[in-house]
Amino acid sequence: MTLCTLREVLDHARAGGYGVGAFNVTDIEQVEAVLDAAASTSSPVIVQTIAGASAFASDELYWDLLLRTVDHYPQVPVVVHLDHGPDAETCKRAIDAGFSSVMIDGSLDPVTHQPTSFEANVAVTKEVVAYARERGVSVEAELGTIGGSKDGATHAEIVLADPDEAARFVAETDVDALAVAIGTSHGAYKFTSPPDGTVLRMDLIETIAGLIPDTHLVMHGSSSLPADLREIINAHGGGLPESWGVPEDEKARSTKLGVTKINQGMDSHMAYAAAMRVALAADPLAADPAPAAKAGRAAMSAMVAERMAVFGQAGRADYTPTPLRETAALSLA
Ligand code: 13P
């Protein structure tokens, strides 16, 4: 069993001066793609998923299968993390299911999708931290509002994180990790031209890291949106708009400024979807989706392995993590 906490994996990353990719997954083939990449590159890894994002009828069934898949990879430290938990109840469900880390996103109201007050964000985050601590589970929170679509339904405007608020927020909530809005956005539409320092505020990372040195910083919306994958998707029936993401060298640079967790969903999904579209188009008689999914899994795994080298986590699974069950027993003692 290699399931361990976000805190432990990110502490190791900070000590080693590297970043860890947190890869969004929405089906079990994608879980396998990420874990295969971790095993082949000897990388500690974070597998993350948003509640309701899979095609399974219930989160509980999907999450159970996801956690069981991790058992097949004893050679690498794995964090199973809930991405963008919209409320305390969803975070508690993921913790009860066996996740070793959850994100409570108290920056947006779960119903109106409007930014919440600082006080409301602190209150819901504290509730989740109290529940998670008793069970040895790590917690990430969000300050400021990262733009774009988290679940295909919301399109919040970007509100940059305020460094003084970040320090106050951490003092009040004691979270393990903080997602700071620095100009990135989620999804397949990010920047209208290659981003410079006025839109991608890397300086904020450095300032905030200096104020909260014991808290891990998370860069959301880190996909690069590779143009070659967009062209393949669009040549096979897709209609993705031209857009620029976060350049690879900026992601690598962020790990030197204070980021330890780098969130990526769209790039992996583009790799998976492009390969599936090509496979389906190549066989007009295809009815069984498995061969196309197999091509998608292989393409996604190759892309994730490449990113692991960029983030610096490749070759760093050289330690024995504390299994979550032991961490939880220590917290309850
Ligand atoms: P992308 O949408 O850029 O892949 O980012 C994913 C993410 O930040 C999930 O929280």
Side-chain angles (χ1 to χ4, degrees), residues 24 48 83-84 185-187 190 220-223 263-267:
N24 285 81
Q48 64 182 14
D83 191 26
H84 289 289
S185 52
H186 297 96
K190 299 188 191 298
H220 280 242
S222 305
S223 281
N263 281 19
Q264 171 185 306
M266 193 47 67
D267 280 358

Side-chain angles (χ1 to χ4, degrees), residues 2-292:
T2 56
L3 184 67
C4 54
T5 65
L6 184 72
R7 168 57 84 172
E8 182 172 16
V9 163
L10 296 186
D11 280 353
H12 191 269
R14 175 178 288 148
Y18 64 93
V20 183
F23 300 97
N24 285 81
V25 291
T26 56
D27 68 29
I28 297 299
E29 284 93 341
Q30 292 175 24
V31 177
E32 202 187 347
V34 173
L35 294 176
D36 278 346
S40 69
T41 59
S42 191
S43 302
V45 69
I46 302 157
V47 176
Q48 64 182 14
T49 190
I50 292 178
S54 80
F56 284 83
S58 80
D59 284 331
E60 274 63 23
L61 174 57
Y62 174 51
W63 293 351
D64 183 42
L65 295 171
L66 193 168
L67 285 156
R68 282 170 196 239
T69 308
V70 171
D71 284 342
H72 291 259
Y73 294 81
Q75 64 276 53
V76 287
V78 182
V79 178
V80 175
H81 175 81
L82 178 76
D83 191 26
H84 289 289
D87 48 39
E89 190 264 327
T90 308
C91 293
K92 290 176 188 175
R93 275 202 297 125
I95 293 169
D96 292 347
F99 280 40
S100 59
S101 179
V102 292
M103 174 185 188
I104 171 67
D105 182 355
S107 70
L108 285 182
D109 184 286
V111 178
T112 64
H113 301 302
Q114 293 305 308
T116 53
S117 68
F118 179 83
E119 291 71 24
N121 192 352
V122 166
V124 71
T125 303
K126 279 173 88 164
E127 182 183 346
V128 173
V129 169
Y131 194 83
R133 283 281 182 277
E134 283 184 2
R135 291 154 182 85
V137 169
S138 305
V139 179
E140 173 186 336
E142 177 168 327
L143 199 62
T145 306
I146 295 154
S149 171
K150 289 168 189 170
D151 57 8
T154 61
H155 292 276
E157 294 299 321
I158 296 173
V159 181
L160 293 180
D162 175 284
D164 293 329
E165 268 196 357
R168 251 190 325 130
F169 186 85
V170 166
E172 290 193 36
T173 60
D174 193 29
V175 286
D176 299 287
L178 189 63
V180 286
I182 59 153
T184 60
S185 52
H186 297 96
Y189 191 75
K190 299 188 191 298
F191 307 114
T192 50
S193 58
D196 62 17
T198 59
V199 286
L200 195 54
R201 292 284 307 279
M202 304 294 277
D203 57 305
L204 269 181
I205 296 174
E206 212 169 0
T207 308
I208 295 174
L211 293 172
I212 48 171
D214 294 331
T215 308
H216 291 284
L217 297 188
V218 185
M219 188 153 90
H220 280 242
S222 305
S223 281
S224 312
L225 309 181
D228 56 339
L229 291 179
R230 185 173 60 242
E231 278 160 22
I232 294 172
I233 289 171
N234 290 351
H236 294 83
L240 291 178
E242 183 172 58
S243 185
W244 283 261
V246 181
E248 295 301 286
D249 53 350
E250 288 296 289
K251 285 183 245 187
R253 192 161 76 90
S254 77
T255 68
K256 306 298 167 212
L257 299 176
V259 166
T260 43
K261 177 172 181 273
I262 304 170
N263 281 19
Q264 171 185 306
M266 193 47 67
D267 280 358
S268 325
H269 289 151
M270 283 173 75
Y272 192 100
M276 275 192 97
R277 281 179 185 266
V278 169
L280 287 170
D283 182 1
L285 299 179
D288 176 2

